[in-house]
Short mmCIF file of all heavy atoms in Angstrom, two decimals:
data_model
loop_
_atom_site.label_atom_id
_atom_site.label_comp_id
_atom_site.label_asym_id
_atom_site.label_seq_id
_atom_site.Cartn_x
_atom_site.Cartn_y
_atom_site.Cartn_z
N LEU J 5 4.49 25.27 -0.46
CA LEU J 5 4.54 23.91 -0.98
C LEU J 5 5.06 23.02 0.14
O LEU J 5 6.15 23.26 0.68
CB LEU J 5 5.48 23.83 -2.19
CG LEU J 5 5.73 22.42 -2.74
CD1 LEU J 5 4.44 21.77 -3.25
CD2 LEU J 5 6.79 22.46 -3.85
N ILE J 6 4.25 22.03 0.51
CA ILE J 6 4.68 21.05 1.51
C ILE J 6 5.10 19.77 0.78
O ILE J 6 4.28 19.14 0.10
CB ILE J 6 3.56 20.72 2.52
CG1 ILE J 6 3.07 21.98 3.23
CG2 ILE J 6 4.06 19.69 3.54
CD1 ILE J 6 1.89 21.74 4.17
N LEU J 7 6.35 19.42 0.90
CA LEU J 7 6.88 18.19 0.30
C LEU J 7 6.81 17.09 1.34
O LEU J 7 7.46 17.16 2.39
CB LEU J 7 8.33 18.40 -0.15
CG LEU J 7 8.53 19.53 -1.16
CD1 LEU J 7 10.02 19.70 -1.45
CD2 LEU J 7 7.76 19.24 -2.43
N VAL J 8 5.99 16.08 1.06
CA VAL J 8 5.73 15.04 2.05
C VAL J 8 6.61 13.81 1.81
O VAL J 8 6.51 13.16 0.76
CB VAL J 8 4.23 14.64 2.02
CG1 VAL J 8 3.97 13.47 2.97
CG2 VAL J 8 3.35 15.82 2.40
N ASP J 9 7.50 13.55 2.72
CA ASP J 9 8.23 12.27 2.82
C ASP J 9 8.89 11.82 1.51
O ASP J 9 8.77 10.64 1.13
CB ASP J 9 7.28 11.16 3.30
CG ASP J 9 6.72 11.41 4.70
OD1 ASP J 9 6.98 12.49 5.25
OD2 ASP J 9 6.01 10.54 5.22
N ILE J 10 9.59 12.71 0.85
CA ILE J 10 10.31 12.31 -0.38
C ILE J 10 11.67 11.76 0.05
O ILE J 10 12.71 12.42 -0.05
CB ILE J 10 10.40 13.48 -1.38
CG1 ILE J 10 8.99 14.06 -1.63
CG2 ILE J 10 11.02 12.99 -2.70
CD1 ILE J 10 8.94 15.21 -2.60
N GLN J 11 11.61 10.53 0.55
CA GLN J 11 12.74 9.90 1.22
C GLN J 11 13.10 8.58 0.53
O GLN J 11 12.25 7.93 -0.08
CB GLN J 11 12.36 9.61 2.68
CG GLN J 11 12.16 10.87 3.51
CD GLN J 11 11.48 10.58 4.84
OE1 GLN J 11 10.26 10.69 4.95
NE2 GLN J 11 12.27 10.20 5.84
N ASN J 12 14.36 8.17 0.68
CA ASN J 12 14.86 6.98 -0.03
C ASN J 12 14.03 5.73 0.21
O ASN J 12 13.83 4.94 -0.71
CB ASN J 12 16.31 6.70 0.39
CG ASN J 12 17.27 7.74 -0.16
OD1 ASN J 12 17.12 8.19 -1.29
ND2 ASN J 12 18.25 8.13 0.65
N ASP J 13 13.53 5.54 1.43
CA ASP J 13 12.77 4.31 1.68
C ASP J 13 11.44 4.27 0.95
O ASP J 13 10.84 3.20 0.83
CB ASP J 13 12.53 4.12 3.19
CG ASP J 13 13.67 3.34 3.84
OD1 ASP J 13 14.43 2.67 3.10
OD2 ASP J 13 13.79 3.39 5.08
N PHE J 14 10.96 5.41 0.46
CA PHE J 14 9.67 5.45 -0.23
C PHE J 14 9.79 5.46 -1.76
O PHE J 14 8.80 5.65 -2.46
CB PHE J 14 8.86 6.67 0.23
CG PHE J 14 8.43 6.60 1.67
CD1 PHE J 14 8.69 7.66 2.55
CD2 PHE J 14 7.76 5.49 2.17
CE1 PHE J 14 8.30 7.60 3.88
CE2 PHE J 14 7.37 5.42 3.51
CZ PHE J 14 7.65 6.47 4.36
N ILE J 15 11.01 5.28 -2.27
CA ILE J 15 11.15 5.15 -3.73
C ILE J 15 11.65 3.74 -4.05
O ILE J 15 12.14 3.04 -3.16
CB ILE J 15 12.08 6.23 -4.33
CG1 ILE J 15 13.51 6.08 -3.84
CG2 ILE J 15 11.54 7.63 -4.04
CD1 ILE J 15 14.51 6.91 -4.63
N PRO J 16 11.51 3.31 -5.31
CA PRO J 16 11.98 1.96 -5.68
C PRO J 16 13.42 1.74 -5.22
O PRO J 16 14.27 2.62 -5.37
CB PRO J 16 11.86 1.98 -7.21
CG PRO J 16 10.70 2.89 -7.46
CD PRO J 16 10.84 3.98 -6.43
N GLY J 17 13.66 0.58 -4.61
CA GLY J 17 14.96 0.30 -3.99
C GLY J 17 14.95 0.51 -2.49
O GLY J 17 15.84 0.03 -1.79
N GLY J 18 13.93 1.23 -1.99
CA GLY J 18 13.83 1.50 -0.56
C GLY J 18 13.04 0.42 0.16
O GLY J 18 12.55 -0.54 -0.45
N ALA J 19 12.88 0.58 1.47
CA ALA J 19 12.25 -0.43 2.31
C ALA J 19 10.73 -0.51 2.11
O ALA J 19 10.12 -1.56 2.27
CB ALA J 19 12.55 -0.14 3.78
N LEU J 20 10.11 0.62 1.75
CA LEU J 20 8.65 0.69 1.58
C LEU J 20 8.37 1.47 0.30
O LEU J 20 7.87 2.59 0.32
CB LEU J 20 8.04 1.36 2.83
CG LEU J 20 6.54 1.57 2.96
CD1 LEU J 20 5.73 0.39 2.48
CD2 LEU J 20 6.19 1.89 4.41
N PRO J 21 8.75 0.86 -0.84
CA PRO J 21 8.77 1.62 -2.09
C PRO J 21 7.38 1.95 -2.64
O PRO J 21 6.51 1.09 -2.69
CB PRO J 21 9.53 0.71 -3.06
CG PRO J 21 9.34 -0.67 -2.51
CD PRO J 21 9.22 -0.53 -1.02
N VAL J 22 7.19 3.18 -3.04
CA VAL J 22 5.98 3.61 -3.73
C VAL J 22 6.28 3.49 -5.23
O VAL J 22 7.27 4.07 -5.69
CB VAL J 22 5.64 5.07 -3.36
CG1 VAL J 22 4.43 5.55 -4.15
CG2 VAL J 22 5.41 5.20 -1.86
N PRO J 23 5.45 2.74 -5.98
CA PRO J 23 5.73 2.57 -7.40
C PRO J 23 5.88 3.93 -8.11
O PRO J 23 5.00 4.79 -7.98
CB PRO J 23 4.51 1.80 -7.92
CG PRO J 23 3.97 1.08 -6.72
CD PRO J 23 4.25 1.99 -5.55
N GLY J 24 6.97 4.09 -8.82
CA GLY J 24 7.21 5.35 -9.54
C GLY J 24 7.51 6.52 -8.65
O GLY J 24 7.52 7.67 -9.12
N GLY J 25 7.76 6.28 -7.38
CA GLY J 25 7.98 7.38 -6.43
C GLY J 25 9.12 8.30 -6.84
O GLY J 25 9.06 9.51 -6.61
N ASP J 26 10.14 7.72 -7.47
CA ASP J 26 11.29 8.53 -7.90
C ASP J 26 10.92 9.48 -9.04
O ASP J 26 11.58 10.50 -9.25
CB ASP J 26 12.45 7.62 -8.33
CG ASP J 26 12.03 6.55 -9.33
OD1 ASP J 26 10.84 6.14 -9.32
OD2 ASP J 26 12.87 6.13 -10.13
N GLN J 27 9.84 9.15 -9.76
CA GLN J 27 9.46 9.97 -10.93
C GLN J 27 8.91 11.33 -10.56
O GLN J 27 8.81 12.22 -11.41
CB GLN J 27 8.44 9.22 -11.79
CG GLN J 27 9.03 7.98 -12.44
CD GLN J 27 7.95 7.05 -13.01
OE1 GLN J 27 6.80 7.45 -13.16
NE2 GLN J 27 8.33 5.82 -13.31
N ILE J 28 8.55 11.52 -9.31
CA ILE J 28 8.02 12.84 -8.93
C ILE J 28 9.13 13.86 -8.73
O ILE J 28 8.88 15.06 -8.73
CB ILE J 28 7.13 12.79 -7.66
CG1 ILE J 28 7.96 12.51 -6.41
CG2 ILE J 28 6.00 11.79 -7.83
CD1 ILE J 28 7.20 12.73 -5.11
N VAL J 29 10.36 13.38 -8.54
CA VAL J 29 11.44 14.29 -8.14
C VAL J 29 11.70 15.39 -9.19
O VAL J 29 11.74 16.57 -8.84
CB VAL J 29 12.71 13.51 -7.76
CG1 VAL J 29 13.88 14.46 -7.53
CG2 VAL J 29 12.44 12.66 -6.52
N PRO J 30 11.85 15.03 -10.48
CA PRO J 30 12.05 16.11 -11.46
C PRO J 30 10.85 17.06 -11.54
O PRO J 30 11.03 18.26 -11.78
CB PRO J 30 12.26 15.38 -12.79
CG PRO J 30 11.96 13.94 -12.55
CD PRO J 30 11.98 13.70 -11.08
N VAL J 31 9.64 16.54 -11.33
CA VAL J 31 8.44 17.40 -11.35
C VAL J 31 8.51 18.38 -10.18
O VAL J 31 8.29 19.59 -10.35
CB VAL J 31 7.16 16.54 -11.26
CG1 VAL J 31 5.92 17.43 -11.31
CG2 VAL J 31 7.11 15.50 -12.37
N VAL J 32 8.83 17.87 -9.01
CA VAL J 32 8.93 18.73 -7.82
C VAL J 32 10.02 19.79 -8.03
O VAL J 32 9.79 20.99 -7.76
CB VAL J 32 9.22 17.89 -6.55
CG1 VAL J 32 9.61 18.79 -5.38
CG2 VAL J 32 8.02 17.03 -6.19
N ASN J 33 11.18 19.38 -8.51
CA ASN J 33 12.27 20.34 -8.70
C ASN J 33 11.85 21.48 -9.62
O ASN J 33 12.23 22.63 -9.42
CB ASN J 33 13.51 19.64 -9.27
CG ASN J 33 14.20 18.77 -8.23
OD1 ASN J 33 13.97 18.91 -7.02
ND2 ASN J 33 15.04 17.86 -8.69
N GLN J 34 11.02 21.15 -10.60
CA GLN J 34 10.60 22.14 -11.58
C GLN J 34 9.59 23.15 -11.02
O GLN J 34 9.56 24.30 -11.45
CB GLN J 34 9.97 21.40 -12.76
CG GLN J 34 10.08 22.14 -14.05
CD GLN J 34 9.62 21.26 -15.22
OE1 GLN J 34 9.18 20.11 -15.03
NE2 GLN J 34 9.72 21.80 -16.42
N ILE J 35 8.77 22.72 -10.06
CA ILE J 35 7.71 23.63 -9.56
C ILE J 35 8.15 24.48 -8.37
O ILE J 35 7.42 25.39 -7.98
CB ILE J 35 6.42 22.84 -9.19
CG1 ILE J 35 6.67 21.84 -8.06
CG2 ILE J 35 5.84 22.16 -10.43
CD1 ILE J 35 5.42 21.10 -7.60
N LEU J 36 9.30 24.20 -7.83
CA LEU J 36 9.74 24.93 -6.61
C LEU J 36 9.64 26.45 -6.75
O LEU J 36 9.22 27.13 -5.81
CB LEU J 36 11.17 24.52 -6.23
CG LEU J 36 11.34 23.06 -5.79
CD1 LEU J 36 12.82 22.71 -5.66
CD2 LEU J 36 10.62 22.80 -4.46
N PRO J 37 10.02 27.04 -7.91
CA PRO J 37 10.00 28.51 -8.02
C PRO J 37 8.61 29.13 -7.95
O PRO J 37 8.50 30.35 -7.79
CB PRO J 37 10.61 28.77 -9.41
CG PRO J 37 11.34 27.52 -9.77
CD PRO J 37 10.59 26.41 -9.11
N PHE J 38 7.55 28.34 -8.04
CA PHE J 38 6.20 28.91 -7.99
C PHE J 38 5.75 29.28 -6.59
O PHE J 38 4.67 29.83 -6.41
CB PHE J 38 5.18 27.93 -8.60
CG PHE J 38 5.28 27.80 -10.08
CD1 PHE J 38 5.77 26.64 -10.66
CD2 PHE J 38 4.88 28.84 -10.92
CE1 PHE J 38 5.87 26.51 -12.03
CE2 PHE J 38 4.98 28.72 -12.29
CZ PHE J 38 5.48 27.56 -12.86
N PHE J 39 6.56 28.96 -5.59
CA PHE J 39 6.08 29.10 -4.21
C PHE J 39 6.87 30.14 -3.41
O PHE J 39 8.07 30.30 -3.60
CB PHE J 39 6.12 27.74 -3.52
CG PHE J 39 5.21 26.76 -4.20
CD1 PHE J 39 5.68 25.93 -5.20
CD2 PHE J 39 3.86 26.75 -3.91
CE1 PHE J 39 4.82 25.07 -5.87
CE2 PHE J 39 3.00 25.90 -4.58
CZ PHE J 39 3.48 25.06 -5.56
N ASP J 40 6.14 30.83 -2.50
CA ASP J 40 6.77 31.79 -1.60
C ASP J 40 7.57 31.08 -0.52
O ASP J 40 8.50 31.63 0.06
CB ASP J 40 5.68 32.63 -0.89
CG ASP J 40 4.73 33.25 -1.88
OD1 ASP J 40 5.20 33.94 -2.79
OD2 ASP J 40 3.50 33.02 -1.75
N LEU J 41 7.15 29.85 -0.23
CA LEU J 41 7.75 29.12 0.89
C LEU J 41 7.68 27.63 0.56
O LEU J 41 6.68 27.16 0.02
CB LEU J 41 6.93 29.42 2.16
CG LEU J 41 7.29 28.69 3.45
CD1 LEU J 41 8.68 29.12 3.94
CD2 LEU J 41 6.25 28.99 4.54
N VAL J 42 8.75 26.91 0.87
CA VAL J 42 8.76 25.46 0.70
C VAL J 42 9.20 24.83 2.02
O VAL J 42 10.19 25.24 2.62
CB VAL J 42 9.73 25.02 -0.43
CG1 VAL J 42 9.69 23.50 -0.60
CG2 VAL J 42 9.43 25.72 -1.74
N VAL J 43 8.41 23.87 2.48
CA VAL J 43 8.79 23.10 3.67
C VAL J 43 8.69 21.61 3.32
O VAL J 43 8.10 21.24 2.30
CB VAL J 43 7.91 23.41 4.90
CG1 VAL J 43 7.96 24.89 5.25
CG2 VAL J 43 6.47 22.96 4.68
N ALA J 44 9.29 20.79 4.15
CA ALA J 44 9.26 19.34 3.90
C ALA J 44 8.94 18.60 5.19
O ALA J 44 9.27 19.08 6.28
CB ALA J 44 10.61 18.88 3.36
N THR J 45 8.31 17.45 5.03
CA THR J 45 8.15 16.55 6.17
C THR J 45 9.05 15.35 5.96
O THR J 45 9.42 15.01 4.83
CB THR J 45 6.71 16.05 6.35
OG1 THR J 45 6.36 15.21 5.24
CG2 THR J 45 5.72 17.22 6.42
N GLN J 46 9.41 14.74 7.06
CA GLN J 46 10.30 13.59 7.02
C GLN J 46 9.79 12.57 8.04
O GLN J 46 9.65 12.88 9.22
CB GLN J 46 11.71 14.08 7.41
CG GLN J 46 12.84 13.22 6.93
CD GLN J 46 14.20 13.88 7.16
OE1 GLN J 46 14.33 14.81 7.96
NE2 GLN J 46 15.22 13.41 6.46
N ASP J 47 9.48 11.37 7.53
CA ASP J 47 9.13 10.27 8.42
C ASP J 47 10.41 9.91 9.16
O ASP J 47 11.47 9.74 8.53
CB ASP J 47 8.64 9.09 7.55
CG ASP J 47 7.52 8.30 8.19
OD1 ASP J 47 6.82 8.84 9.08
OD2 ASP J 47 7.33 7.12 7.80
N TRP J 48 10.36 9.79 10.50
CA TRP J 48 11.61 9.77 11.28
C TRP J 48 11.39 8.91 12.52
O TRP J 48 11.11 9.41 13.61
CB TRP J 48 11.95 11.23 11.63
CG TRP J 48 13.32 11.49 12.12
CD1 TRP J 48 13.69 11.82 13.41
CD2 TRP J 48 14.53 11.53 11.35
NE1 TRP J 48 15.04 12.03 13.47
CE2 TRP J 48 15.58 11.87 12.22
CE3 TRP J 48 14.83 11.31 10.00
CZ2 TRP J 48 16.91 11.98 11.80
CZ3 TRP J 48 16.15 11.43 9.58
CH2 TRP J 48 17.16 11.76 10.46
N HIS J 49 11.49 7.59 12.30
CA HIS J 49 11.11 6.64 13.34
C HIS J 49 12.29 6.13 14.17
O HIS J 49 13.34 5.82 13.61
CB HIS J 49 10.45 5.41 12.71
CG HIS J 49 9.18 5.69 11.98
ND1 HIS J 49 8.13 6.39 12.53
CD2 HIS J 49 8.76 5.34 10.72
CE1 HIS J 49 7.13 6.46 11.64
NE2 HIS J 49 7.50 5.84 10.54
N PRO J 50 12.08 5.95 15.47
CA PRO J 50 13.06 5.20 16.26
C PRO J 50 12.96 3.71 15.88
O PRO J 50 11.91 3.28 15.39
CB PRO J 50 12.61 5.44 17.71
CG PRO J 50 11.15 5.71 17.61
CD PRO J 50 10.93 6.38 16.28
N PRO J 51 14.03 2.93 16.10
CA PRO J 51 14.01 1.52 15.68
C PRO J 51 12.90 0.71 16.35
O PRO J 51 12.46 -0.31 15.80
CB PRO J 51 15.38 0.98 16.11
CG PRO J 51 16.24 2.18 16.31
CD PRO J 51 15.35 3.33 16.67
#
Side-chain angles (χ1 to χ4, degrees):
L5 173 63
I6 302 176
L7 302 176
V8 175
D9 297 6
I10 307 181
Q11 293 167 265
N12 289 321
D13 271 342
F14 293 128
I15 65 167
L20 181 41
V22 177
D26 51 332
Q27 293 166 15
I28 70 168
V29 173
V31 181
V32 168
N33 287 343
Q34 207 172 2
I35 62 177
L36 294 171
F38 288 108
F39 298 93
D40 307 306
L41 175 67
V42 182
V43 302
T45 67
Q46 203 171 18
D47 216 21
W48 195 251
H49 297 309

